[in-house]
Amino acid sequence: MAKPMTKTELVTQLSEEMGTDKKTASTALDAITKVITDAVSAGGAVTLPGVGKIYCRERPERMVRNPATGEQIKKDADKVVKMTIAKALKDSVNG
């Protein structure tokens, strides 16, 4: 498995694709991250064309098991962020 791209590497590649400096690319990346975070935190969803859909899903209260002791514990309801990958991205990876 390839090593994940760091933010610095992402900003460098983004600046090259945009034809701008790294500061502008970093500002754009931070703005996109903030917009996605705000939308998903509010219970909405964000679709990134060609990449996928990021959304928040509520999980109900449930019983879980402590693997060390085997004890059953009641876990409160919570929310989890999910991402559905776009077919175009899947196809580009597999084909």
Side-chain angles (χ1 to χ4, degrees):
M1 184 168 147
K3 184 176 158 187
M5 186 181 283
T6 65
K7 182 178 178 182
T8 305
E9 293 168 340
L10 182 59
V11 167
T12 301
Q13 291 238 337
L14 190 59
S15 68
E16 290 172 7
E17 284 291 322
M18 292 172 56
T20 62
D21 58 355
K22 289 181 183 178
K23 185 175 180 180
T24 304
S26 180
T27 303
L29 181 60
D30 290 341
I32 291 169
T33 303
K34 183 177 181 339
V35 168
I36 292 170
T37 302
D38 291 346
V40 174
S41 295
V46 176
T47 301
L48 299 172
V51 177
K53 180 180 178 182
I54 303 170
Y55 58 97
C56 183
R57 187 177 75 87
E58 292 187 24
R59 288 196 293 193
E61 184 178 274
R62 62 198 187 279
M63 296 300 289
V64 295
R65 187 176 66 84
N66 181 338
T69 64
E71 177 187 6
Q72 292 282 336
I73 304 167
K74 183 168 88 172
K75 186 163 189 208
D76 294 333
D78 61 350
K79 295 179 181 178
V80 63
V81 176
K82 295 282 193 174
M83 181 168 184
T84 303
I85 305 301
K87 185 176 183 327
L89 182 56
K90 287 181 193 176
D91 291 345
S92 70
V93 170
N94 291 323

